[in-house]
Amino acid sequence: MAEPIVLDDPDDPRLHDYSGLTDVELRRRREPAEGLFIAEGEKVVRRAVGAGYAMRSMLLSAKWLGPLRDVVDAATAPVYLVDPALAEQVTGYHVHRGALASMARKPLPAAGELLPGARRVAVFEDIVDHANIGAAFRNAAALGIDAVLLTPRCADPFYRRSVKVSMGAVLQVPWTRATAWPGDLAELRAAGFTVAALCLSDRAVTLDTLASRQEPKLALVFGTEGAGLSSTTLEAADVHVRIPMEAGVDSLNVAAASAVAFYATRPAAG
């Protein structure tokens, strides 16, 4: 059992993991380099622990000791108890959820390790918005996607905002980063996946048409808003797919599009 340690100095080195959480560029560099990510809020902290991520420390205000008593009692890492004003001074924002945990990252698997047994894979190319990545992972978890592949330029799913928006779903869905994009699509194809690129090309079939094919293994590829998928990725895809639109709307936010595509192409029951 970890006995909570009361801290009252914002410069205490034990609070280093939590410093400057609103500095996006700093945290994007620090967190992967130091092998950590921040779980925020009771539900996300519990999901991180439940998913087997090792805790480095916890940072709590007094009112959260009760709701998280079982987590605190089971923790082998230090638990720091701080005043809310001090937490804000350290992190850079009002921690209204009252509970933070610094968790250790796990090494990312090779893409090939995620494919055996998978039926549907989501691939995201150059999605740099952390909220979109978090929402897309939540969709993937909710709608039965077996694995997620991110291109090198994609935002970090373990950045605090991504984890928060996903409600911890980024901790549940197996994922990794592509190492030879878009050459990695050949590995998907070699594993039996049909590679479907969501786009507005002239040769795109409707999502309904793709869904009716009931592909046994399907990789759905999504690009960033604005530019969409790169020309090399479009050339490498087996099929181009569009979501039919009305009212003069030509596309959806990538997170919304992923939810529609995941649902429409879900495997038939039984």
Side-chain angles (χ1 to χ4, degrees):
M1 181 179 74
E3 189 64 30
I5 303 167
V6 177
L7 300 181
D8 57 11
D9 180 1
D11 296 319
D12 192 308
R14 289 173 289 185
L15 297 175
H16 173 74
D17 284 2
Y18 307 96
S19 64
L21 292 185
T22 58
D23 189 330
V24 178
E25 288 305 315
L26 173 65
R27 299 302 302 197
R28 285 178 60 186
R29 293 192 304 271
R30 267 189 56 192
E31 291 185 9
E34 297 178 16
L36 67 92
F37 68 92
I38 299 297
E40 179 180 3
E42 179 184 1
K43 181 176 292 187
V44 176
V45 170
R46 289 186 181 279
R47 284 191 172 174
V49 172
Y53 288 91
M55 185 183 294
R56 292 163 58 109
S57 67
M58 288 183 71
L59 182 69
L60 304 176
S61 57
K63 74 174 185 177
W64 284 97
L65 273 178
L68 282 163
R69 187 75 253 181
D70 59 317
V71 178
V72 172
D73 288 346
T76 56
V79 176
Y80 303 128
L81 194 62
V82 299
D83 181 90
L86 186 140
E88 182 172 355
Q89 190 174 353
V90 171
T91 62
Y93 71 103
H94 176 59
V95 188
H96 67 281
R97 293 177 181 265
L100 298 171
S102 175
M103 311 297 295
R105 296 184 183 227
K106 300 176 184 179
L108 289 177
E113 296 177 43
L114 301 182
L115 302 183
R119 297 177 64 186
R120 289 190 302 158
V121 173
V123 184
F124 295 101
E125 181 182 73
D126 299 349
I127 307 300
V128 297
D129 184 273
H130 291 100
N132 281 340
I133 284 290
F137 265 86
R138 188 174 184 182
N139 296 339
L143 298 170
I145 293 298
D146 299 306
V148 172
L149 181 65
L150 304 179
T151 64
R153 289 190 63 247
C154 275
D156 180 9
F158 281 1
Y159 178 68
R160 179 177 58 88
R161 179 158 174 75
S162 299
V163 177
K164 181 179 178 181
V165 169
S166 79
M167 294 299 291
V170 297
L171 309 172
Q172 299 173 283
V173 182
W175 70 277
T176 195
R177 287 197 184 272
T179 56
W181 186 256
D184 306 82
L185 292 177
E187 187 170 4
L188 285 167
R189 192 174 290 106
F193 285 85
T194 296
V195 177
L198 276 289
C199 62
L200 299 175
S201 81
D202 294 336
R203 66 182 180 92
V205 302
T206 66
L207 180 60
D208 300 306
T209 298
L210 176 68
S212 70
R213 297 176 183 175
Q214 286 292 315
E215 297 284 357
K217 291 186 175 183
L218 182 62
L220 295 162
V221 189
F222 303 86
T224 188
E225 291 98 333
L229 289 166
S230 65
S231 59
T232 52
T233 298
L234 291 173
E235 290 169 7
D238 296 311
V239 60
H240 292 182
V241 183
R242 63 179 176 84
I243 300 173
M245 300 283 170
E246 298 183 10
V249 178
D250 63 0
S251 63
L252 297 174
N253 167 278
V254 66
S258 71
V260 172
F262 295 163
Y263 182 79
T265 59
R266 67 198 185 281

